[in-house]
Amino acid sequence: MFAEVAFPISNFKTFTYEIPKNLISEAHIGSRVVAPFRKQKIEGIIVNILKSSSFKGQTKLINKLIDNHQVVTPELWELINWISNYYMTPLGQVAKTVFPKSLSTRYKPQKLWFVESGIDIDPLRFEKLKKRAPKQYEILNLVRSKSGPFQVSLLKDFTSNPLQICKSLERGKLVKLFEKEIKPNSDHFSFGSINKRISLDRNQEEVANSIKKSLESNIYNPYLLHGVTGSGKTEIYINAVRYCLKKGKTAIILLPEISLTPQIAGRFRSVFGDNVALWHSKLNQQQRSWTWKEICKGTFRVVIGARSAIFSPLKDLGLIVIDEEQEASFRQESPSPRYHARDVGLMRAKLNKAVILLASATPSLESYYNHQNNKLNYLHLPNRFGGAKQPKVHLVDMLNEQEETGKSGQVISGLLQRKIEEKLNRNEQVILLQNRRGFSPIIKCGDCGEIAMCPDCNVAFSYHKNTNNLLCHFCGFSKINEKQSCSECNSKNLLYFGAGTQKVQAILEETFPEASIERLDMDTTISGINITKILNAFNSGEIDILLGTQMIAKGLDFPNATLVGIINADQGLHLPDFRSGERIFQLIYQASGRSGRHQKPGEVVIQTYSPDNPVIKCAAELDMDKYYEIALREREELDYPPFSWLSKIEITGKNYKRASQLASTISRKINGEYSGLKILGPAPCYIEKLRGYFRFQIIFKSQKAIDPNGKKLHSFIKTNFHSSNKKYSNSQSRINIHFDPLSLI
């Protein structure tokens, strides 16, 4: 028997191997293997089983199977093939994404030695041991003082080699020594059980009953669950999962931010106990390996996690929930496949005949449009749960503020400062959003005008005062701001423009010295444990003011948070991207929704330099319908999604001239144009240089009126670019294909 194996390489070729006789019964399509490839052994996936091989040369043997039982369900294998076809990515690369390296059902948790006291010891023998082997005596005394088994490694404070001493004591039948598997603990990524007695209101009951009927029918059913902030969408998820498990099915809950995981995990674990697994990038290798193995075994019936959790190898999948479905973090930009977890989720639900909920208070324009065109069933929660009212919103014109105060570059307006003082005096809590980390986003020389720029990207360095670092937020390049002088003229007259979360925190600490203030951004949450710690502290009232980036803007529920301040609502508003307005509206609306979610009334202060901009005005009025009507009209006029299908070809290279020439060559060789297709470019990307590579792009727009399901555009891209890297590649440049890109920047 032979197997065609795909490896995680950049072409679509498969390789034929002989299956060893002892593995024939265990090898199936979708089985992961280790096989010799060139001069090394690497992981691949079986894509076909053959009785004979047409290969004329010597056929090598597969070395081993990675898993000791079949992990890939028929539906998951279909999904892998769909991703490969739709995103034009070799099967081996898709398999590497779906089944990350170092995960295997053969994984065995770490074993640790434990020791406990043995039989009662004759006092005389005890005294003899004290004289003959004082270290053994000391350890034995310690072990006897413990009420149960004791981890041997904890004895290292008393002796350098505790295991050998314990073994000596065991030979003398003075202690019992044994090994025990230790289950990796991920409890620190979750709040403790959050128990609530919830009675669904009328709107929630109607929504829950609709979902229940779909789960009973065992057919694919996609829903858009549109609920205002604080409407109790989490309770709907719990209700749906409860019924799903009752039907013998499993469920996946996708979240856009790791910061949302602790609170939701606490709610789910209080209801479903040990059925719930967490899956995200902050898990260490042991936690990931153990969790993945237990998911494969069927120990966990519910998986909560970030983007990659959509590939969880659950069997009998019945429900997928994509919370905050509009979020860009559900899109993987690199490496291939460049997929969107929402779209993959829709296809996985279709293949599994499952129910999928795309849920949000501010749905993506695509989902909103699809509901209007009856492609998604619409479920609506129009009111906040428990009678809570929408917050009162104050719009502050920062230009007027500057004129009145005579201060330019003011970070905290007079109104926001007064509101913070008011809430603190009432022992209420404040959430402040500043969607930019660091201290200052621009460092400029006051003498020669030079701006400190990242050498690998066409972007300015951000100054991080805490570490005295100049840091590029795109590629991560950093350097110590040692001399604190201009790199061009050596002037010490450096000007720090703009405000990041560090500067805002410094201002808050100076203005409100008695308040407890914490910051939640990428700099403070390198460890997932710290996210849980900060959110837990805020939830329990230990923190008065929580300052953060967009990770605090959605999904979180704090009963005592009655004020949200948005420091700079214009951040990103004027980027030359067709989605910039939509993103800013959603961020402001979602952040506003963190205020007044329970009995205490809430307020929001939005600071802006563009108070008349329709994005800002509609967000301040919390009027989603009005803004979406404006945005859809603009998109239709400009022929952008959701009125067209979009694809982007990105050409990157370390040499500007060669990359530019390659982009022009590709543009000239494009053929097979059709009615309804628009081609823009080639042109430099807005961020022309990124991570050391110059970037050019060609944009393709295919009108849905002529190409309703996108097949024409997909066929066109496949015809022209399926083997693009082989066709146009050189050692200097690469071509990346993006279907349904979220950004043209």
Side-chain angles (χ1 to χ4, degrees):
M1 295 289 285
F2 298 86
E4 288 183 357
V5 178
F7 293 104
I9 56 177
S10 59
N11 68 50
F12 290 81
K13 188 176 179 182
T14 60
F15 301 84
T16 304
Y17 289 85
E18 187 176 349
I19 306 172
K21 288 181 180 179
N22 63 317
L23 298 180
I24 287 175
S25 62
E26 300 174 50
H28 306 280
I29 291 175
S31 295
R32 296 186 300 157
V33 301
V34 173
F37 186 76
R38 296 184 179 135
K39 293 183 179 180
Q40 54 188 331
K41 295 176 183 177
I42 64 173
E43 292 185 11
I45 191 165
I46 295 176
V47 301
N48 201 6
I49 302 286
L50 307 168
K51 288 185 178 179
S52 60
S53 171
S54 58
F55 182 63
K56 302 300 181 185
Q58 183 184 358
T59 306
K60 295 179 181 178
L61 283 168
I62 287 171
N63 294 110
K64 65 177 181 179
L65 295 176
I66 292 172
D67 302 301
N68 55 10
H69 63 263
Q70 184 69 346
V71 171
V72 180
T73 63
E75 297 85 3
L76 192 52
W77 180 244
E78 280 190 75
L79 183 71
I80 290 170
N81 279 274
W82 177 82
I83 293 170
S84 174
N85 180 60
Y86 188 79
Y87 294 106
M88 281 172 52
T89 304
L91 271 170
Q93 288 187 347
V94 176
K96 185 180 177 182
T97 298
V98 175
F99 306 115
K101 194 175 179 182
S102 303
L103 298 182
S104 169
T105 58
R106 299 180 194 274
Y107 170 78
K108 292 183 179 178
Q110 181 185 10
K111 284 186 175 182
L112 295 178
W113 285 100
F114 283 80
V115 62
E116 64 180 338
S117 182
I119 57 172
D120 288 336
I121 304 169
D122 177 24
L124 187 61
R125 188 181 176 194
F126 202 60
E127 284 303 313
K128 285 181 180 178
L129 183 67
K130 183 177 181 180
K131 293 176 183 177
R132 181 175 57 81
K135 269 296 174 190
Q136 288 186 28
Y137 170 82
E138 184 183 355
I139 295 297
L140 180 59
N141 233 349
L142 188 63
V143 171
R144 291 181 72 195
S145 70
K146 303 297 178 182
S147 57
F150 188 69
Q151 194 173 311
V152 171
S153 60
L154 298 178
L155 297 169
K156 284 189 176 178
D157 291 340
F158 303 94
T159 179
S160 60
N161 198 348
L163 182 58
Q164 291 306 316
I165 291 178
C166 288
K167 284 182 176 179
S168 296
L169 291 169
E170 185 188 39
R171 284 193 292 271
K173 298 185 179 180
L174 297 173
V175 298
K176 294 176 184 176
L177 194 61
F178 60 93
E179 277 188 294
K180 181 180 175 184
E181 281 191 353
I182 302 300
K183 180 181 82 172
N185 185 9
S186 60
D187 289 348
H188 46 266
F189 293 115
S190 168
F191 281 14
S193 288
I194 303 172
N195 295 300
K196 292 183 180 180
R197 293 181 66 86
I198 297 292
S199 296
L200 301 184
D201 63 25
R202 183 176 57 83
N203 289 319
Q204 288 177 315
E205 282 281 5
E206 289 176 4
V207 168
N209 286 335
S210 296
I211 297 168
K212 182 178 175 181
K213 285 178 184 175
S214 290
L215 287 167
E216 284 175 344
S217 65
N218 291 318
I219 59 170
Y220 166 62
N221 217 332
Y223 286 101
L224 173 62
L225 174 56
H226 175 207
V228 299
T229 55
S231 58
K233 291 186 287 295
T234 302
E235 301 309 321
I236 296 296
Y237 307 159
I238 288 172
N239 191 282
V241 170
R242 184 185 285 116
Y243 192 75
C244 182
L245 298 188
K246 187 179 174 183
K247 295 279 292 178
K249 301 281 188 177
T250 59
I252 296 172
I253 315 294
L254 286 195
L255 305 174
E257 298 274 2
I258 293 171
S259 60
L260 301 185
T261 308
Q263 206 167 50
I264 285 189
R267 280 291 292 121
F268 269 75
R269 283 182 165 174
S270 68
V271 178
F272 304 111
D274 292 337
N275 273 314
V276 180
L278 302 184
W279 188 260
H280 52 69
S281 61
K282 297 296 184 183
L283 297 174
N284 64 35
Q285 187 57 47
Q286 284 185 337
Q287 290 163 337
R288 286 170 67 82
S289 298
W290 181 83
T291 302
W292 194 82
K293 177 184 178 181
E294 295 302 310
I295 292 171
C296 292
K297 281 172 59 180
T299 305
F300 296 116
R301 308 290 288 164
V302 182
V303 176
I304 298 175
R307 180 176 65 221
S308 62
I310 194 60
F311 301 121
S312 299
L314 290 167
K315 295 177 178 65
D316 303 314
L317 184 63
L319 176 70
I320 298 173
V321 176
I322 303 185
D323 192 33
E324 308 296 354
E325 63 85 28
Q326 80 284 354
E327 281 300 310
S329 57
F330 284 127
R331 168 88 183 187
Q332 174 160 298
E333 292 297 336
S334 185
S336 292
R338 295 174 173 84
Y339 69 92
H340 197 302
R342 179 190 62 213
D343 300 333
V344 171
L346 285 163
M347 180 53 66
R348 187 166 188 191
K350 188 174 184 178
L351 294 170
N352 281 270
K353 297 179 181 177
V355 173
I356 181 167
L357 302 181
L358 308 183
S360 179
T362 54
S364 63
L365 275 174
E366 281 84 350
S367 294
Y368 186 78
Y369 176 82
N370 283 336
H371 125 64
Q372 289 184 329
N373 287 272
N374 300 315
K375 290 185 177 180
L376 293 173
N377 299 310
Y378 187 64
L379 300 172
H380 193 203
L381 296 173
N383 304 312
R384 282 190 152 188
F385 184 74
K389 304 297 182 186
Q390 290 284 14
K392 182 180 179 181
V393 182
H394 309 274
L395 196 62
V396 178
D397 184 341
M398 295 301 283
L399 289 174
N400 287 344
E401 184 85 8
Q402 281 183 186
E403 290 176 11
E404 291 173 7
T405 62
K407 297 177 184 176
S408 62
Q410 197 168 349
V411 176
I412 306 288
S413 65
L415 176 63
L416 181 55
Q417 183 173 329
R418 289 195 301 275
K419 290 294 178 184
I420 293 173
E421 287 172 352
E422 185 182 299
K423 301 303 178 185
L424 293 179
N425 289 335
R426 292 181 182 173
N427 291 320
E428 294 172 1
Q429 291 170 294
V430 178
I431 295 174
L432 297 178
L433 171 71
Q434 172 65 342
N435 199 25
R436 175 168 271 168
R437 62 192 176 106
F439 189 84
S440 291
I442 295 176
I443 307 100
K444 183 178 179 180
C445 177
D447 291 335
C448 73
E450 181 72 15
I451 293 175
M453 301 286 286
C454 171
D456 294 330
C457 303
N458 190 26
V459 294
F461 272 129
S462 287
Y463 175 54
H464 286 240
K465 191 173 184 179
N466 293 15
T467 53
N468 194 31
N469 255 16
L470 300 179
L471 178 65
C472 175
H473 288 173
F474 286 87
C475 72
F477 181 90
S478 68
K479 65 177 184 178
I480 299 293
N481 191 24
E482 239 174 344
K483 297 180 181 177
Q484 295 191 341
S485 61
C486 175
S487 60
E488 289 297 307
C489 67
N490 288 321
S491 168
K492 297 285 186 182
N493 182 22
L494 296 181
L495 307 175
Y496 295 85
F497 290 103
T501 49
Q502 289 181 6
K503 181 184 277 190
V504 176
Q505 184 178 18
I507 293 168
L508 290 170
E509 288 170 346
E510 185 179 335
T511 310
F512 306 103
E514 301 301 317
S516 171
I517 302 165
E518 282 289 349
R519 178 165 51 90
L520 200 63
D521 56 26
M522 281 183 66
D523 299 321
T524 62
T525 58
I526 295 171
S527 160
I529 299 171
N530 210 33
I531 296 175
T532 311
K533 182 181 174 185
I534 292 172
L535 292 178
N536 239 328
F538 190 72
N539 192 52
S540 62
E542 298 168 41
I543 296 169
D544 300 311
I545 301 174
L546 180 63
L547 164 69
T549 52
Q550 63 179 357
M551 59 171 52
I552 65 166
K554 48 200 166 286
L556 298 171
D557 184 6
F558 300 110
N560 199 37
T562 58
L563 175 65
V564 166
I566 299 171
I567 306 295
N568 183 4
D570 308 335
Q571 188 76 51
L573 181 62
H574 304 294
L575 288 172
D577 187 73
F578 72 99
R579 293 188 199 272
S580 58
E582 178 189 358
R583 287 198 192 100
I584 298 306
F585 174 86
Q586 290 165 343
L587 184 63
I588 296 171
Y589 188 105
Q590 291 276 357
S592 301
R594 300 315 105 207
S595 176
R597 294 170 66 90
H598 292 263
Q599 298 307 310
K600 296 178 182 179
E603 292 186 85
V604 180
V605 176
I606 300 173
Q607 300 183 166
T608 177
Y609 290 90
S610 313
D612 296 324
N613 187 294
V615 174
I616 304 296
K617 286 179 75 173
C618 291
E621 294 164 4
L622 301 178
D623 192 339
M624 193 199 85
D625 290 338
K626 182 179 177 182
Y627 173 68
Y628 278 29
E629 184 182 332
I630 294 168
L632 285 171
R633 193 163 57 243
E634 288 177 351
R635 297 274 185 94
E636 188 171 20
E637 287 172 4
L638 297 170
D639 209 17
Y640 275 111
F643 297 95
S644 67
W645 298 102
L646 203 64
S647 186
K648 176 175 77 173
I649 304 300
E650 183 184 57
I651 300 96
T652 68
K654 295 211 169 194
N655 183 289
Y656 178 90
K657 187 175 180 181
R658 287 183 182 176
S660 175
Q661 286 174 344
L662 179 57
S664 298
T665 300
I666 290 171
S667 180
R668 285 196 307 271
K669 291 188 176 182
I670 290 171
N671 58 60
E673 293 181 32
Y674 57 88
S675 174
L677 177 69
K678 292 182 181 177
I679 302 176
L680 307 177
C685 296
Y686 174 69
I687 302 176
E688 191 175 47
K689 188 183 181 186
L690 196 62
R691 299 179 184 89
Y693 287 85
F694 294 98
R695 305 161 65 234
F696 295 83
Q697 62 185 11
I698 306 171
I699 308 299
F700 302 90
K701 293 193 287 186
S702 184
Q703 294 173 356
K704 283 190 177 177
I706 296 171
D707 185 15
N709 52 21
K711 285 185 178 179
K712 285 187 177 181
L713 178 61
H714 199 275
S715 176
F716 173 82
I717 296 295
K718 204 164 190 176
T719 299
N720 283 279
F721 298 103
H722 187 271
S723 302
S724 54
N725 278 312
K726 189 175 180 182
K727 190 175 176 182
Y728 298 110
S729 68
N730 55 57
S731 58
Q732 297 286 321
S733 305
R734 287 195 62 81
I735 298 164
N736 299 318
I737 303 169
H738 299 257
F739 285 101
D740 313 316
L742 291 186
S743 170
L744 300 182
I745 288 180

